[in-house]
Amino acid sequence: MKASTFFIGLAAGSVAAAVTVLYSTPQSGSQLRTSVKSASRDMKVMFKDVKVKVDDLKESISHLSKEAKETVPTAIDGIKGSVEKWQQSTESNKERMEKEISAIQTALEELEQAIAAQQK
């Protein structure tokens, strides 16, 4: 099928549909034109509202992006600083616990040796 044949068929079908709608509509021509104009105005108003809302959304996304670029690095630096402080504050506890664990292991070894010596 050629493209020109398709478009001729599409145009003929559109004309036939338009004629059918005009003859089968319960409204007179002037009433139909009035309702079409009214619907057209309503659609224009709706499209303007959608455009305004899309523009607002774009602006909100832009503002959020700028705010995130400023806020996120600061928050990350703050978190890193907090983690470093926590690691430093727990370092002494870590060393103390390692010494206590070592002392407990030594005591257990000595206890095992003492028990082994008594059983002989």
Side-chain angles (χ1 to χ4, degrees):
M1 178 191 279
K2 292 182 180 179
S4 61
T5 307
F6 173 75
F7 287 116
I8 290 173
L10 183 65
S14 298
V15 168
V19 169
T20 304
V21 167
L22 286 175
Y23 283 116
S24 65
T25 182
Q27 298 175 338
S28 68
S30 63
Q31 290 174 335
L32 181 62
R33 285 190 295 274
T34 303
S35 65
V36 167
K37 286 179 183 178
S38 175
S40 173
R41 275 180 282 181
D42 292 345
M43 291 297 283
K44 285 180 183 178
V45 168
M46 288 189 338
F47 283 133
K48 286 179 182 177
D49 287 345
V50 168
K51 184 179 182 298
V52 167
K53 289 179 181 179
V54 167
D55 289 342
D56 288 346
L57 179 63
K58 285 180 183 179
E59 186 178 326
S60 295
I61 290 172
S62 175
H63 179 71
L64 178 64
S65 175
K66 288 177 185 175
E67 222 174 270
K69 286 179 183 177
E70 295 171 0
T71 305
V72 170
T74 304
I76 290 174
D77 290 341
I79 291 171
K80 284 181 182 179
S82 296
V83 168
E84 288 174 2
K85 286 179 183 178
W86 176 77
Q87 286 175 338
Q88 290 172 355
S89 69
T90 58
E91 187 66 32
S92 62
N93 289 336
K94 178 182 169 187
E95 292 172 1
R96 183 181 51 81
M97 291 177 82
E98 286 174 350
K99 289 178 184 177
E100 287 178 9
I101 290 172
S102 178
I104 291 171
Q105 286 175 339
T106 304
L108 284 174
E109 289 173 3
E110 291 174 358
L111 185 61
E112 287 174 353
Q113 290 173 358
I115 291 173
Q118 285 181 354
Q119 288 181 350
K120 287 187 182 178

